[in-house]
Amino acid sequence: MADIIQLLPDHVANQIAAGEVVQRPASVVKELLENAIDAGAKTIKLIIKGGGKTLIQVVDDGLGMSETDARLSFERHATSKIRQAEDLFTLSTKGFRGEALASIAAIAHVEMQTRLEKAELGTHLKIEGSNIVFQQVKVVPKGTSMSVKHLFFNIPARRNFLKSDQVELRHITDEFHRVALAHPQIAFHYYVNGSELFGLPKGNLRQRIVHVFGNKTNQKLVPISEETQVVTISGFINKPEFAKKSRGEQFFFVNNRFIKSPYLHHAVLSAFEGLIKTDCHPGYFIYLEVDPGTIDINIHPTKTEVKFDDEHTLYAILRSTIKHSLGQFNVVPSLDFESDPNLETPYAYKNKGAELPKITVDQGFNPFTESNGGIATKSYRSGKTQAKDSSWESLYVGLESNIGKRVDYDNLQFESDTITGSIFEGQTDVSESQATTFQLRRKYIVTTIKSGMVVIDQSRAHQRVLYEKFLRNSTVKQVVSQQLLFPLSLSFSKSDMAVLNDIKETLDAVGFVFDKIEAESVEVRGVPLLVPESEVGMVLDQLIADCQQEVEGESFSQTDILSKTMAKTLAVKTGEILENASQLALVNDLFACKEPMVSPFNKPVFVTITENEIDKKFI
Ligand code: ADP
Ligand code: MG
């Protein structure tokens, strides 16, 4: 048989390599920013148009390149950063593979202008899909400017795979944050579609974090620091009470390089254990300095994964360093998750009637007893989660006299006249309606039907009810929104604000009313009817987190995500005790839904057990 193996031509090899190096515009941004840093730049400009699909440009004031180097830099395995394999173990630069420029030039239109400080004239070079269009001498500023246009112009499949401009921009901004946080001593300017999104002067780390994430961040930061033979740790953690629903502000840097490390992340979580709620995430900016010889950053083409020689020791040191800081800065004793429930009462409820004594009844103990029918407590969401309540409670306010008549609960919420401390005393109406419900292990509602019984997951049921309500509200043209007596001012980071702006129209459609939208804050004047004021911040936080994570699919609908998130956040949870009246109301509402069978997240909501099945057990 004839020989069949051939060497691939360079441009093909480069295109294949590009598949590893360049996944999306953000990868190009990362490589170009890193090159600028390696070139010793003091100020770096990043210019983005059309989510990076139209233009990615990085301008630096670093070393620049000679005419020959300018041409050579686009060759594969062309690097000034290592000469022999041993250099890998003493590496202090970001790049070293000599692949980035060759890869990018293989799949885009690239223009470079560069000049060495001492040279009078610089070089202007243009490459399209690995072909040099021209190279000429030109008067250009010192340093290097690289612009990348028409990314993936010759690989339509990859180009079509890119997400919307907004989504790609978010990835770019994430990348920008990582680089900017790793190098506070370099000034950065970030322009998006012609306007400056971030202008970061050089400064110390704390200043950099505050410039990136907003003024409010300053008060959240607790410094950490530790010096051992193995590692030097510095940086900041966020105080536990600022833990967020989103995982946004979590950064590890090793020798000034951003890395991902689930293992070290776990070390941080374990240091925070018991200090933050389970569905919240701590924020951290942790900088590790280790001997370059003890890590291997070569294991991943984009170099975000690192292998440490002695991970276990690192884990232990990191964990104890964080614990120590939490203790030292008195963060731990001042923690108070169960905030004063009075502060969380919506305005409409304030000063309504006398506070009734709170009685906690363990309904799981004997669910059939009559005695739990008459709990005269205003808050039937008792136990740990009590303080969080209000939506559920207010949703069914005034029910006792209307049970069975199909009430429009939406309108009941703020009819404050009917709200008194004793609203649930009139339990007789409920029992008259003949339906029997009881709560099983603070998790399920059990009720009877003709053919047997139904066991309903209370949390999923409520999610379904709320979800359909939100969906309905947002499709009806006249959304009902509840005006806040005093507008709420909420702070967000610039990137959170960008997401908020993206989804604003949808938020308006479900009943949010925003005022004074600024770079890092927003004033909320109105909220959807079912969202209690005390939960507004949390709901928005969760919405932003969900939208950020949402990989934009075909059926991407912001209203849907929004409704799901709000339903998830506001629904009663497992572990909450529900009053009989509320159990019944929930059951009625659930079966008035279009799709009572499944939760908004496609989980079963209830199971039925027929008399037949029960009979069988007695044979
Ligand atoms: P690597 O960074 O791994 O060396 P690249 O393909 O990213 O590989 O770059 C190739 C070479 O081009 C670098 O080693 C460097 O010498 C030169 N270079 C790239 N970008 C710049 C820049 N902004 N300023 C000066 N030199 C640069
Ligand atoms: Mg590089």
Side-chain angles (χ1 to χ4, degrees):
M1 195 173 136
D3 299 336
I4 49 170
I5 298 178
Q6 301 178 12
L7 278 177
L8 290 175
D10 267 359
H11 70 274
V12 179
N14 284 339
Q15 253 195 37
I16 294 170
E20 281 205 344
V21 182
V22 185
Q23 276 101 36
R24 54 180 1 140
S27 336
V28 175
V29 170
K30 175 178 191 281
E31 294 297 338
L32 297 186
L33 289 177
E34 289 189 348
N35 278 348
I37 291 165
D38 284 344
K42 292 198 173 61
T43 302
I44 299 175
K45 276 186 206 158
L46 169 64
I47 301 160
I48 301 293
K49 286 190 180 147
K53 296 176 203 165
T54 315
L55 173 73
I56 298 167
Q57 187 175 10
V58 171
V59 185
D60 70 54
D61 58 357
L63 283 176
M65 280 175 263
S66 71
E67 207 179 322
T68 322
D69 280 356
R71 173 67 198 87
L72 256 184
S73 67
F74 290 99
E75 292 296 327
R76 205 139 69 97
H77 308 307
T79 179
S80 55
K81 298 167 195 175
I82 56 170
R83 304 221 170 267
Q84 48 203 9
E86 287 76 55
D87 294 350
L88 278 175
F89 303 105
T90 53
L91 205 64
S92 61
T93 52
K94 308 269 148 191
F96 56 82
R97 290 169 171 255
E99 265 178 349
L101 291 188
S103 302
I104 295 167
I107 49 156
H109 294 184
V110 178
E111 249 180 276
M112 170 159 89
Q113 301 197 0
T114 185
R115 177 168 72 83
L116 293 167
E117 186 170 13
K118 295 257 162 61
E120 267 176 37
L121 290 170
T123 308
H124 183 189
L125 193 148
K126 189 168 179 182
I127 299 189
E128 293 181 355
S130 298
N131 298 318
I132 299 191
V133 179
F134 64 73
Q135 171 162 5
Q136 60 200 29
V137 174
K138 193 176 175 191
V139 181
V140 291
K142 169 207 160 197
T144 305
S145 157
M146 296 279 290
S147 75
V148 176
K149 293 178 186 165
H150 307 132
L151 191 65
F152 297 132
F153 78 100
N154 48 1
I155 318 178
R158 299 290 302 271
R159 193 172 172 85
N160 295 338
F161 184 70
L162 293 177
K163 307 285 184 200
S164 69
D165 287 5
Q166 285 164 356
V167 172
E168 293 302 340
L169 187 67
R170 243 172 260 154
H171 285 284
I172 292 174
T173 306
D174 283 349
E175 208 57 70
F176 173 77
H177 283 167
R178 293 167 180 175
V179 174
L181 287 170
H183 298 278
Q185 74 291 356
I186 300 175
F188 286 92
H189 297 273
Y190 177 20
Y191 303 87
V192 174
N193 298 333
S195 52
E196 189 173 30
L197 192 57
F198 287 94
L200 309 174
K202 77 176 227 204
N204 62 29
L205 179 58
R206 185 187 270 269
Q207 290 164 332
R208 177 54 51 94
I209 295 173
V210 170
H211 280 130
V212 173
F213 291 107
N215 282 330
K216 285 274 162 106
T217 319
N218 201 15
Q219 50 160 353
K220 300 184 190 172
L221 302 175
V222 179
I224 56 169
S225 131
E226 181 66 83
E227 217 168 302
T228 69
Q229 287 194 324
V230 187
V231 61
T232 304
I233 301 177
S234 59
F236 296 90
I237 48 175
N238 279 349
K239 290 177 190 165
E241 67 259 41
F242 294 105
K244 295 211 313 184
K245 290 272 179 180
S246 61
R247 298 185 51 165
E249 296 165 18
Q250 300 182 332
F251 297 91
F252 278 118
F253 300 92
V254 174
N255 299 351
N256 289 331
R257 185 193 295 279
F258 171 83
I259 59 144
K260 290 180 184 152
S261 170
Y263 186 66
L264 294 182
H265 174 71
H266 191 269
V268 180
L269 290 188
S270 77
F272 274 95
E273 204 171 288
L275 300 175
I276 50 179
K277 293 185 200 164
T278 43
D279 56 345
C280 287
H281 305 279
Y284 55 80
F285 308 87
I286 298 174
Y287 294 71
L288 309 172
E289 289 292 330
V290 298
D291 177 350
T294 65
I295 52 169
D296 182 2
I297 44 175
N298 210 5
I299 56 171
H300 195 272
T302 52
K303 296 170 288 221
T304 51
E305 279 165 33
V306 171
K307 206 165 147 319
F308 297 96
D309 274 0
D310 192 357
E311 271 195 333
H312 294 301
T313 314
L314 214 55
Y315 184 102
I317 297 174
L318 181 59
R319 182 167 178 267
S320 76
T321 305
I322 295 176
K323 280 196 162 235
H324 179 73
S325 280
L326 286 169
Q328 194 184 14
F329 289 89
N330 266 339
V331 180
V332 178
S334 67
L335 273 178
D336 177 20
F337 293 125
E338 303 298 341
S339 50
D340 182 353
N342 292 325
L343 293 177
E344 303 210 357
T345 314
Y347 291 109
Y349 289 98
K350 278 192 178 155
N351 310 320
K352 296 280 179 198
E355 268 291 325
L356 285 159
K358 290 196 177 90
I359 307 163
T360 311
V361 176
D362 185 358
Q363 296 194 336
F365 178 60
N366 185 353
F368 297 100
T369 175
E370 285 295 315
S371 69
N372 54 10
I375 314 162
T377 160
K378 186 173 158 195
S379 175
Y380 48 79
R381 260 189 156 170
S382 47
K384 268 166 107 185
T385 43
Q386 180 188 355
K388 268 180 60 198
D389 167 64
S390 56
S391 65
W392 176 241
E393 186 179 356
S394 50
L395 191 55
Y396 296 101
V397 152
L399 259 178
E400 81 287 359
S401 54
N402 291 315
I403 281 291
K405 289 186 204 154
R406 290 300 318 139
V407 197
D408 180 4
Y409 303 123
D410 291 356
N411 293 331
L412 287 175
Q413 189 171 24
F414 283 86
E415 279 176 13
S416 37
D417 288 349
T418 63
I419 301 165
T420 67
S422 56
I423 46 168
F424 286 112
E425 269 172 356
Q427 292 295 322
T428 43
D429 287 347
V430 174
S431 41
E432 268 167 24
S433 73
Q434 290 201 329
T436 320
T437 62
F438 67 87
Q439 208 182 3
L440 184 68
R441 304 197 64 77
R442 302 183 181 178
K443 190 171 177 188
Y444 300 107
I445 297 168
V446 182
T447 186
T448 51
I449 48 170
K450 249 191 188 163
S451 60
M453 64 194 262
V454 190
V455 183
I456 302 167
D457 182 307
Q458 65 186 43
S459 182
R460 290 179 190 174
H462 197 202
Q463 283 180 7
R464 165 53 61 183
V465 171
L466 291 174
Y467 173 67
E468 292 202 2
K469 271 193 179 146
F470 283 125
L471 272 189
R472 215 179 313 135
N473 285 357
S474 57
T475 44
V476 180
K477 278 278 160 326
Q478 281 174 316
V479 277
V480 211
S481 106
Q482 142 202 347
Q483 297 291 309
L484 300 177
L485 211 53
F486 302 104
L488 270 179
S489 178
L490 300 173
S491 310
F492 291 100
S493 69
K494 277 187 188 161
S495 31
D496 283 355
M497 279 306 295
V499 179
L500 199 72
N501 276 316
D502 287 351
I503 58 173
K504 186 177 167 298
E505 262 180 43
T506 324
L507 289 172
D508 291 347
V510 294
F512 282 99
V513 183
F514 295 109
D515 234 6
K516 291 201 198 141
I517 302 184
E518 277 156 21
E520 292 177 20
S521 69
V522 68
E523 224 174 67
V524 184
R525 261 198 308 116
V527 294
L529 213 46
L530 301 175
V531 179
E533 185 173 345
S534 57
E535 312 256 308
V536 176
M538 203 181 59
V539 171
L540 284 175
D541 211 29
Q542 183 77 56
L543 284 174
I544 290 170
D546 283 5
C547 287
Q548 245 162 356
Q549 273 161 22
E550 188 62 33
V551 197
E552 224 179 53
E554 304 299 301
S555 61
F556 181 77
S557 147
Q558 285 183 348
T559 319
D560 193 58
I561 299 177
L562 236 67
S563 304
K564 276 187 185 147
T565 296
M566 293 202 290
K568 182 172 72 190
T569 319
L570 299 173
V572 289
K573 307 281 181 314
T574 296
E576 295 190 43
I577 295 180
L578 296 185
E579 255 264 346
N580 264 8
S582 338
Q583 294 171 19
L584 197 56
L586 179 56
V587 173
N588 286 337
D589 266 11
L590 174 68
F591 290 105
C593 281
K594 281 193 192 140
E595 285 184 65
M597 299 283 289
V598 289
S599 81
F601 304 93
N602 265 330
K603 300 262 174 60
V605 173
F606 61 86
V607 291
T608 48
I609 303 168
T610 60
E611 195 184 341
N612 241 339
E613 286 168 303
I614 301 173
D615 286 347
K616 274 186 199 151
K617 301 233 177 236
F618 286 97
I619 296 173

